[in-house]
Amino acid sequence: MIFNREQLEARERATLAPYALLSRDHGGRIYEQAESAYRTAFQRDRDRILHSAAFRRLEYKTQVFTNDEGDYYRTRLTHTLEVAQIGRTLARALGANEDLVEAICLAHDLGHPPFGHSGEDTLNTLLADHGGFNHNAQSFRVVTELERRYPAFPGLNLTRETLRGIAGHETKGGDHLHLLDDDNGGQGSLEAQIANLTDELAYTAHDLDDGLNSEIIAPPHLADLAIWRLLCERLNWHGSALDEIMRHEFIRELVGVFVDDVLTQTSAALAAVDPQSVAAIKAQDRALVVYSAEIDGMRRALREFLYTNMYYSPRVVRMKQRAEYFIAAMFTALMDEPRQLPLTWQRELETRDQPRVIADYIASMTDRSALLEYRRLFDPMMRP
């Protein structure tokens, strides 16, 4: 038996909650296209994202540690896959549209430049007089403008629901939603809310894992954190050093604590509101996908700890300074002589501002290709 799109849409209608975004009810695409025969609209969005060049490049883009720091540490790609997995779990349990959540999660970091947030901060400074740089807005531009895979339109021509989810909290003050003809009011869909929360859930837990594995962080450093004491109690652990298996146990338990709490709190919030449509979710005055106050306080304290003890540790700061130097030097060299750009990017200068074109070019690079481009620009022994 072959299940066609209409049958898949009927299955959604029969099994998802009344507040779920059904793929048959999507608001269309910027460029009109016929529907797929065997995929729903949101499944098609997911597949287009997976096959994009920007998605493949995430494999060699920094999460916290640069690619040359070791094979174990997370990259933007592995982080993205972890976000999508947790997002699907939440969506499935809450009766939301799993395919839409997955599509949003898979696309949320497509606009990240090389070297993680260091690269983003540097480009933002360099573009201060030209609109700045933000990876969320850049992800939106990747899927609407910068990916070139189809002869009839730029971007991936995703559904408006997926685009709204990618835009996320970056709707205020930005102009990248003008293509959707939205008033940008109200809450996002439950699927967008799930994807939004899941990103931070995943990187908080998994950056802690990378910090412990790198030995920048050790268990005694965590002793004052309520979330760490809770994990120690649940795992009946009273040691001072973690072996690899026990570290995995802690991170699994941490993700489990967060996921269980979000499901409990969100289920209670939904029960209190009893939304019977997508519109009812969007009409709320606050997000419904939330943590309890207790767990959210623990999560915030853990995030602050990571900023102080990991993201601003000497080892990570050295990587940050190196990244800022590379990107600023490349940007300046290409601004001074844009004919050093590849020909395809030089053609972009005919219709777009030079600083933005150069920023787009640099943002598209992986860590490896950025280092190689730096050598081409500045190493006299390197062939251009």
Side-chain angles (χ1 to χ4, degrees):
M1 173 181 280
I2 296 176
F3 289 90
N4 61 26
R5 174 178 50 80
E6 289 85 355
Q7 289 170 306
L8 295 175
E9 291 173 346
R11 183 187 297 172
E12 285 184 355
R13 206 161 54 244
T15 59
L16 298 184
Y19 47 74
L21 248 168
L22 302 181
S23 55
R24 69 164 190 169
D25 297 331
H26 74 85
R29 304 176 187 273
I30 295 171
Y31 303 94
E32 190 171 329
Q33 280 188 289
E35 297 284 3
S36 171
Y38 305 107
R39 294 175 295 172
T40 68
F42 300 146
Q43 289 171 347
R44 195 181 196 184
D45 284 353
R46 176 203 59 207
D47 295 348
R48 288 183 171 188
I49 293 161
L50 278 170
H51 288 283
S52 69
F55 185 81
R56 290 195 300 275
R57 286 193 291 263
L58 294 176
E59 180 176 4
Y60 295 106
K61 291 194 176 189
T62 294
Q63 175 66 15
V64 175
F65 296 99
T66 52
N67 191 253
D68 60 357
E69 286 284 318
D71 293 338
Y72 174 84
Y73 302 117
R74 284 166 176 84
T75 65
R76 283 286 153 193
L77 179 61
T78 56
H79 162 69
T80 294
L81 295 174
E82 288 166 341
V83 172
Q85 180 270 312
I86 297 170
R88 289 196 308 269
T89 296
L90 292 174
R92 195 178 307 123
L94 293 169
N97 194 310
E98 195 175 332
D99 294 324
L100 177 56
V101 170
E102 184 176 23
I104 297 169
C105 289
L106 290 174
H108 84 279
D109 266 354
L110 291 181
H112 240 298
F115 308 119
H117 288 287
S118 302
E120 179 177 18
D121 293 343
T122 305
L123 286 176
N124 188 45
T125 299
L126 293 166
L127 291 176
D129 296 329
H130 305 278
F133 183 92
N134 176 282
H135 82 269
N136 291 290
Q138 189 74 1
S139 295
F140 190 91
R141 293 185 63 238
V142 166
V143 299
T144 56
E145 301 176 46
L146 300 178
E147 275 283 327
R148 302 293 171 88
R149 304 182 66 82
Y150 301 94
F153 50 78
L156 302 179
N157 201 27
L158 306 177
T159 62
R160 285 173 165 80
E161 287 71 22
T162 299
L163 291 177
R164 291 186 189 105
I166 294 168
H169 62 275
E170 294 298 321
T171 56
K172 293 181 180 179
D175 64 358
H176 55 285
L177 284 176
H178 70 282
L179 291 172
L180 302 180
D181 300 321
D182 275 355
D183 61 11
N184 301 337
Q187 298 296 323
S189 65
L190 198 75
E191 290 80 4
Q193 293 181 38
I194 289 170
N196 228 7
L197 180 141
T198 303
D199 176 31
E200 189 174 42
L201 186 161
Y203 76 64
T204 300
H206 296 137
D207 287 358
L208 175 61
D209 187 23
D210 283 353
L212 288 166
N213 185 56
S214 69
E215 299 183 347
I216 289 176
I217 298 170
H221 302 155
L222 298 158
D224 291 336
L225 291 175
I227 190 68
W228 185 256
R229 294 196 299 271
L230 175 63
L231 297 175
C232 290
E233 179 183 336
R234 290 175 64 146
L235 293 171
N236 193 29
W237 187 83
H238 307 287
S240 59
L242 290 175
D243 61 24
E244 185 175 4
I245 295 298
M246 201 65 208
R247 191 184 77 247
H248 292 321
E249 283 284 290
F250 266 92
I251 301 306
R252 273 196 298 272
E253 192 70 21
L254 177 59
V255 173
V257 167
F258 286 160
V259 167
D260 289 346
D261 186 73
V262 170
L263 288 176
T264 299
Q265 292 302 123
T266 303
S267 177
L270 288 168
V273 174
D274 192 26
Q276 294 300 304
S277 66
V278 176
I281 295 286
K282 294 182 176 181
Q284 300 304 309
D285 59 3
R286 61 183 179 85
L288 298 178
V289 182
V290 292
Y291 294 96
S292 66
E294 179 184 16
I295 294 298
D296 194 44
M298 294 182 183
R299 181 192 60 82
R300 289 175 183 273
L302 175 56
R303 275 197 68 196
E304 291 174 9
F305 172 90
L306 290 172
Y307 271 98
T308 302
N309 296 278
M310 182 176 173
Y311 305 143
Y312 292 109
S313 66
R315 181 172 166 186
V316 175
V317 167
R318 288 191 191 103
M319 289 187 286
K320 180 177 184 291
Q321 291 297 109
R322 182 176 61 172
E324 290 174 353
Y325 175 82
F326 287 145
I327 288 178
M330 286 191 294
F331 185 89
T332 301
L334 294 170
M335 284 291 293
D336 289 344
E337 181 46 88
R339 286 175 294 184
Q340 296 182 94
L341 286 165
L343 290 176
T344 54
W345 287 94
Q346 287 187 43
R347 286 193 284 271
E348 294 292 317
L349 296 171
E350 298 170 7
T351 56
R352 299 201 289 128
D353 292 340
Q354 181 177 327
R356 183 62 60 181
V357 170
I358 292 172
D360 287 344
Y361 174 56
I362 293 173
S364 73
M365 296 176 183
T366 65
D367 295 5
R368 292 197 308 183
S369 59
L371 292 172
L372 185 60
E373 180 72 348
Y374 177 86
R375 290 182 61 199
R376 288 197 188 104
L377 289 169
F378 299 107
D379 185 349
M381 303 302 293
M382 183 77 176
R383 290 184 65 184

